[in-house]
Amino acid sequence: MSNEAPLLEVRNLTKHFPVGHGKEVHAVNGVSFTLEKGETLGIVGESGCGKSSMGRTILKVHEPTSGQIIFEGNDITKLSNKKMFSYRKKMQMIFQDPYASLNPRFTVGEIIEEPMIIHKMGTAHERKAIVQELIETVGLKPDHIRRYPHEFSGGQRQRIGIARTLALRPEFIVCDEPISALDVSIQAQVINLLEKLQRERGFSYLFIAHDLEMVYHISHKIGVMYLGNMVELGSSDDVYKKPLHPYTRALISAAPIADPHLAKEKKRIILKGEVPSPLNPPVGCPFAGRCRYASESCRQKKPEIYEYDNRKVACNLYSPENLAKYKAVGKTPEQILAE
Ligand code: SF4
């Protein structure tokens, strides 16, 4: 790990959306993490858990309610739109729906060139050369430049969207479910392209998805979100192979396994109940209503974030007091969870 400051540091980020009558949707609640240059942090959780809201708040599409966003050592949390302009080049987004994100009246060449015009980059001649190069980089053909989005397949449109994002030479890209609208056969191609671009250009990705298996393969670290909270954060291997938080364990146990023998051996944890409403989240642990290990203190007070086994985990099972109790009876938290 380098001694340099991380590319991105998110501290206690919170985003609540007012919805009238004094009520608020608690979309993101005190999320913290760091992201190094060239690193991918995969964010997983069920739909509505706050993944996309968090990605958009970091890019300041939404103004944060509280917390801090530090990019390249600079606090950008409270920067005005005007001051954010130069950062917008460096912080970009790839959208879930390639159909909706491309202007149907523009040719592919115009779509890719547009962000460079907005940011006053290069001469018309230089921009055209960059467009040509990007078309090739993302695996499209040179003559595609004069065609319109409706003439392309979903996978090709996502490539156009990626080329448009690359035009600004970003350093940090939020990939918001970039393959979930694509055919399965095309998904691997787009993932391979994103990985190749990261190797060549050193991008950092915040990769939002609900497919845990895919997030595991593409990410260096994984963050698991539940009801706007980051409940577990650690290296991909640790989180995927040795999950700590009861919610992560349930999520991983529910993920489909391609190998039928392994799938047969796998023990599924069935989660009962529903995710609580983000309009009225519980006062204690957000997962308490569905957790078989929930105690009275879990229901009354939100758990702190504990460091355990190279990870951050928001669960009372890993509090120093509980760890001491398990130790006194010669057990580990993993053994307690397996009981
Ligand atoms: Fe379950 Fe309590 Fe941990 Fe929440 S804090 S996940 S309720 S054991």
Side-chain angles (χ1 to χ4, degrees):
M1 187 86 30
S2 76
N3 290 328
E4 280 176 35
L7 178 76
L8 174 72
E9 186 173 359
V10 172
R11 292 186 194 152
N12 223 359
L13 188 70
T14 295
K15 178 63 193 174
H16 294 172
F17 294 98
V19 287
H21 304 289
K23 291 192 169 172
E24 287 183 326
V25 171
H26 294 228
V28 184
N29 298 303
V31 167
S32 301
F33 64 84
T34 57
L35 187 66
E36 308 290 336
K37 194 169 162 43
E39 192 175 51
T40 299
L41 168 62
I43 301 289
V44 289
E46 290 156 291
S47 58
C49 71
K51 310 181 292 267
S52 292
S53 296
M54 182 181 77
R56 286 174 156 79
T57 307
I58 292 168
L59 294 182
K60 301 242 303 160
V61 175
H62 306 312
E63 281 304 312
T65 304
S66 61
Q68 278 181 301
I69 305 159
I70 319 281
F71 187 76
E72 293 180 328
N74 301 308
D75 188 342
I76 61 164
T77 323
K78 296 207 165 79
L79 287 190
S80 62
N81 252 337
K82 202 171 157 199
K83 290 208 171 125
M84 263 308 283
F85 189 72
S86 59
Y87 286 99
R88 297 221 184 275
K89 257 196 333 196
K90 300 180 179 184
M91 306 172 80
Q92 285 287 307
M93 184 151 184
I94 295 171
F95 295 92
Q96 176 182 26
D97 184 356
Y99 301 84
S101 62
L102 306 176
N103 188 331
R105 287 170 295 130
F106 280 15
T107 64
V108 169
E110 287 165 341
I111 287 170
I112 300 171
E113 189 184 0
E114 191 195 22
M116 292 188 277
I117 296 174
I118 294 170
H119 283 270
K120 300 188 171 61
M121 285 168 68
T123 62
H125 185 72
E126 285 163 346
R127 288 196 299 269
K128 293 272 179 296
I130 292 171
V131 171
Q132 292 282 8
E133 186 207 317
L134 287 173
I135 291 243
E136 260 177 61
T137 303
V138 300
L140 294 168
K141 296 200 183 106
D143 66 309
H144 286 163
I145 206 163
R146 281 178 295 279
R147 288 165 56 181
Y148 289 87
H150 72 266
E151 299 176 57
F152 293 90
S153 67
Q156 285 172 319
R157 287 183 218 193
Q158 192 53 289
R159 288 173 191 269
I160 300 167
I162 293 170
R164 179 184 156 90
T165 301
L166 298 187
L168 294 175
R169 298 194 206 123
E171 284 160 45
F172 166 61
I173 304 176
V174 174
C175 305
D176 189 6
E177 307 232 16
I179 59 163
S180 54
L182 303 176
D183 284 351
V184 176
S185 58
I186 308 295
Q187 290 183 347
Q189 293 175 15
V190 174
I191 291 296
N192 290 343
L193 171 63
L194 291 171
E195 288 189 307
K196 175 179 111 99
L197 292 169
Q198 183 175 56
R199 282 194 302 275
E200 290 172 0
R201 301 183 181 215
F203 298 142
S204 304
Y205 293 134
L206 186 75
F207 198 95
I208 297 168
H210 57 260
D211 181 342
L212 231 156
E213 184 84 16
M214 193 269 297
V215 167
Y216 166 62
H217 287 293
I218 195 175
S219 308
H220 302 97
K221 295 192 294 201
I222 294 180
V224 181
M225 285 189 76
Y226 187 80
L227 201 64
N229 299 273
M230 186 84 89
V231 296
E232 183 162 353
L233 175 66
S235 79
S236 291
D237 268 345
D238 281 345
V239 174
Y240 189 75
K241 293 183 180 159
K242 299 184 288 170
L244 294 179
H245 194 283
Y247 176 63
T248 317
R249 293 168 68 89
L251 204 62
I252 286 171
S253 85
I257 292 185
D259 183 328
H261 298 292
L262 284 179
K264 220 172 167 188
E265 282 169 22
K266 188 162 132 172
K267 199 173 148 211
R268 253 183 102 103
I269 302 168
I270 310 286
L271 276 184
K272 297 208 178 89
E274 299 292 320
V275 183
S277 164
L279 264 172
N280 190 18
V283 281
C285 171
F287 191 57
R290 306 174 83 190
C291 178
R292 56 180 282 233
Y293 311 98
S295 63
E296 204 38 45
S297 70
C298 298
R299 290 188 191 91
Q300 283 171 5
K301 195 170 159 277
K302 209 170 157 176
E304 285 177 36
I305 297 170
Y306 299 103
E307 301 260 357
Y308 180 81
D309 195 18
N310 298 321
R311 249 161 301 169
K312 290 188 165 55
V313 56
C315 173
N316 289 329
L317 294 172
Y318 304 90
S319 71
E321 302 76 46
N322 277 331
L323 291 179
K325 272 193 220 161
Y326 311 146
K327 200 171 172 196
V329 293
K331 288 193 172 164
T332 63
E334 290 83 350
Q335 286 168 320
I336 300 284
L337 281 160
E339 281 174 2

